[in-house]
Amino acid sequence: MKTIFEKDKGVSGICLCDENENLDFFDGIYKRKSPLGLPNVSELEALRHYKELSDRNFCIEKGFYPLGSCTMKYNPKVNELLASLEGFSDLHPLSSDEDCQGALELMYKLQEALKEITGMDAITLQPAAGAQGELTGMMVIKKYFEVKGEKRTKVIIPDSAHGTNPASAHLCGFEIVPVKSNDKGQVDIEALKSLVNHDVAAIMMTNPNTLGIFEENVLEISQIMHENGSLLYYDGANFNAIMGYTNPKLMGFDVVHLNLHKTFATPHGGGGPGAGPVGVVDALKDFLPSPVVDFDGQKYFRNCNIKHSIGQVKAFYGNFSVLVKAYAYILMMGQNLKEASENAVLNANYLKEKLKEAYLLPYDEPCMHEFVLSGEKQKHENGVSTLHIAKALMDENTHPPTVYFPLIVHEAIMIEPTESETKEVMDDFVKVMLKIADEAKSNPEKVISSPHSTPVKKIDETLAARHPNLKFVQ
Ligand SMILES: *Cc1c(COP(=O)(O)O)cnc(C)c1O
């Protein structure tokens, strides 16, 4: 190997060839003809540039982040410290079982903890996201019926579902059958009964659903499905609503995925790494992705001997650092996981009650970890839409809630305060939301032209999506 360094041209590089090889060939083809256009700045200038960029980024450490369904709660920093321990972060994924007993032990114990939290009998840690967990779960269900020799082609999904549910079931080759919600925002049981037949492999449900409402008839739904020989899939992305109070097994579900990056406090957003473990009941154990981490009483090992495994769904063993952080969080919280759910639900109900005068609340029911308002009143009375309200919040150092989802609420504003926030933070949010509701009446133009204080002001959303100008600074 030879290092090439041409001082006068500011060009440097490493040549991956033998010193004796003819370098003319390399020079002629690969060598840069003109200097690379790198900025010529001091270390301090570079530092200021990146600090300024990072300051523009909104994060949970900077302010309230009530992004519905996304659980943007506090991720304790000790998790990062533990995940960066050399023994974890420098471990080679091809190490033999003997050489990574510690990592395997951690994975095994995390599986055991998640079994207890979900009530399921077996867990795979492989999937890298909630949506991948859904696909994995649906593949397990598909294989189960295949091995049983039953041809079931349909999956029932409530119209309030998270978009990934129909996407995952469809990707797995199932036909989607939507079931409508009743006026309480829950699955309409009569409508469900009319859809159930022997083509139906499963129902995919979120409970609480995306309106933040607990499906009261879940046991009846489970009975209807099981009597038909169908399975029940539980989207457990938002487990902070129920942790320690109930679990999908008690509700009659057969498969569940969790979002470790939401409920179990590992940083996400901006595409950051995730983990979507899947839990199944005994009858589906033999279909899980291979390998599963196992323990023979003496040592931990990767068990590839899974009878009807759907195969591997992720390179190596999942997003290992996320697993370390989630396990650290679970150990740190212990019994207090239950209190986390309690606070998540309390915070959401507090905000809901404080805001339901000023904004429309289409489903006025006690909520779980989140609730959905509608901006319809502001839109019809003053021409201020939910999008305008969301942008106005950015001027108040508050991340906007999830908007225009779930689809069954017009002008939806989906608010999830999470368990991390104090009453003071929530009272400030209430003040800001009420102020925007007032301004929508007294000065609609101001709200409509928001945001005013962000680095990038109001943009043409369509143009920005089609022709993103990533360098543009106003
Ligand atoms: C976040 C979420 C998902 C998808 O999880 P990803 O990790 O983003 O793939 C699925 N369902 C619900 C209800 C969610 O909130």
Side-chain angles (χ1 to χ4, degrees):
M1 199 154 87
K2 187 182 165 94
T3 305
I4 302 171
F5 184 61
E6 291 187 31
K7 208 171 166 200
D8 53 344
K9 289 190 193 154
V11 177
S12 68
I14 293 173
C15 169
L16 293 174
C17 53
D18 200 284
E19 272 202 58
N20 302 326
E21 260 182 59
N22 183 354
L23 278 177
D24 289 348
F25 172 74
F26 174 82
D27 283 359
I29 295 185
Y30 296 112
K31 203 165 133 191
R32 203 180 296 286
K33 304 279 185 302
S34 56
L36 184 61
L38 290 174
N40 223 331
V41 295
S42 69
E43 186 171 319
L44 179 57
E45 284 171 299
L47 192 66
R48 283 187 182 146
H49 171 70
Y50 285 108
K51 176 76 173 90
E52 198 207 322
L53 288 182
S54 85
D55 284 349
R56 286 187 192 178
N57 196 16
F58 192 89
C59 52
I60 185 71
E61 286 83 357
K62 209 164 167 179
F64 190 41
Y65 205 143
L67 192 63
S69 208
C70 297
T71 314
M72 305 308 283
K73 70 183 192 183
Y74 175 60
N75 307 301
K77 299 303 164 216
V78 66
N79 297 350
E80 300 299 322
L81 197 72
L82 296 172
S84 61
L85 288 177
E86 238 171 56
F88 291 136
S89 61
D90 290 354
L91 193 59
H92 197 283
L94 291 177
S95 305
S96 65
D97 287 350
E98 294 75 52
D99 289 340
C100 59
Q101 282 295 298
L104 292 176
E105 180 178 353
L106 182 141
M107 291 171 81
Y108 181 81
K109 289 186 170 166
L110 176 60
Q111 286 172 189
E112 292 300 298
L114 298 180
K115 270 155 80 171
E116 194 172 331
I117 290 167
T118 58
M120 293 286 133
D121 299 313
I123 300 272
T124 171
L125 300 173
Q126 267 183 38
Q132 201 192 9
E134 291 171 30
L135 178 62
T136 304
M138 294 321 284
M139 287 166 77
V140 164
I141 290 174
K142 196 171 185 194
K143 189 99 187 231
Y144 166 80
F145 285 114
E146 249 170 53
V147 169
K148 242 178 137 203
E150 285 184 37
K151 193 166 162 34
R152 293 184 181 243
T153 52
K154 295 179 179 168
V155 170
I156 298 178
I157 303 182
D159 59 6
S160 63
H162 194 271
T164 51
N165 291 187
S168 307
H170 179 73
L171 196 64
C172 195
F174 287 110
E175 186 187 322
I176 313 302
V177 183
V179 58
K180 67 178 170 71
S181 306
N182 61 21
D183 54 11
K184 288 176 88 179
Q186 301 180 29
V187 170
D188 186 320
I189 295 284
E190 291 313 311
L192 175 67
K193 282 182 185 160
S194 73
L195 299 172
V196 170
N197 58 45
H198 288 290
D199 290 340
V200 176
I203 185 168
M204 278 183 105
M205 282 177 69
T206 311
N207 196 20
N209 62 29
T210 59
L211 294 166
I213 295 172
F214 193 85
E215 299 275 354
E216 296 164 344
N217 300 317
V218 66
L219 292 178
E220 193 183 346
I221 294 173
S222 143
Q223 195 182 353
I224 294 169
M225 300 311 292
H226 282 148
E227 274 172 8
N228 187 54
S230 312
L231 298 175
L232 287 92
Y233 183 98
Y234 184 92
D235 177 336
N238 304 134
F239 227 77
N240 58 336
I242 61 160
M243 249 183 325
Y245 276 90
T246 183
N247 68 45
K249 181 70 172 285
L250 293 171
M251 294 183 228
F253 286 86
D254 305 288
V255 187
V256 49
H257 87 260
L258 297 169
N259 277 30
L260 296 189
H261 46 295
K262 292 180 183 170
T263 311
F264 299 96
T266 78
H268 59 292
V278 172
V280 296
V281 293
D282 256 330
L284 299 172
K285 229 169 152 166
D286 289 342
F287 303 93
L288 284 181
S290 154
V292 163
V293 179
D294 234 327
F295 183 55
D296 66 8
Q298 303 262 302
K299 61 175 176 42
Y300 298 93
F301 65 104
R302 281 163 274 201
N303 184 358
C304 298
N305 198 9
I306 299 166
K307 205 165 159 200
H308 299 296
S309 174
I310 57 165
Q312 195 157 0
V313 297
K314 165 92 175 72
F316 302 112
Y317 322 104
N319 272 334
F320 182 68
S321 72
V322 178
L323 306 181
V324 178
K325 292 177 209 179
Y327 187 57
Y329 177 75
I330 290 171
L331 286 190
M332 184 173 67
M333 293 291 281
Q335 297 278 333
N336 291 331
L337 285 175
K338 194 171 171 180
E339 204 182 310
S341 298
E342 222 167 86
N343 289 334
V345 172
L346 181 64
N347 282 356
N349 278 284
Y350 181 73
L351 287 185
K352 171 173 69 69
E353 290 305 308
K354 293 276 184 189
L355 294 174
K356 73 180 196 186
E357 288 291 310
Y359 296 87
L360 195 71
L361 176 67
Y363 298 95
D364 192 356
E365 300 277 329
C367 67
M368 298 295 285
H369 65 302
E370 66 191 1
F371 62 102
V372 181
L373 297 173
S374 164
E376 269 200 313
K377 190 153 72 177
Q378 284 71 19
K379 185 165 184 190
H380 290 140
E381 290 172 10
N382 312 102
V384 172
S385 72
T386 281
L387 186 67
H388 299 139
I389 294 165
K391 298 282 184 193
L393 277 167
M394 294 168 75
D395 283 330
E396 308 285 347
N397 192 34
T398 296
H399 195 288
T402 296
V403 292
Y404 299 101
F405 174 77
L407 303 177
I408 55 175
V409 172
H410 293 152
E411 297 293 314
I413 305 174
M414 185 195 215
I415 298 172
E416 180 186 8
T418 81
E419 62 271 26
S420 312
E421 302 295 345
T422 60
K423 183 168 174 293
E424 287 73 20
V425 170
M426 290 191 300
D427 284 337
D428 283 348
F429 178 67
V430 169
K431 251 188 238 157
V432 165
M433 285 294 281
L434 298 183
K435 180 177 137 196
I436 293 171
D438 280 345
E439 279 177 354
K441 287 186 207 148
S442 62
N443 190 1
E445 273 316 308
K446 182 182 167 212
V447 184
I448 289 169
S449 57
S450 303
H452 303 282
S453 63
T454 50
V456 176
K457 308 283 181 308
K458 195 171 182 63
I459 50 172
D460 179 331
E461 302 257 330
T462 315
L463 198 67
R466 301 225 167 123
H467 305 284
N469 179 355
L470 303 177
K471 282 188 181 161
F472 183 63
V473 179
Q474 274 172 319

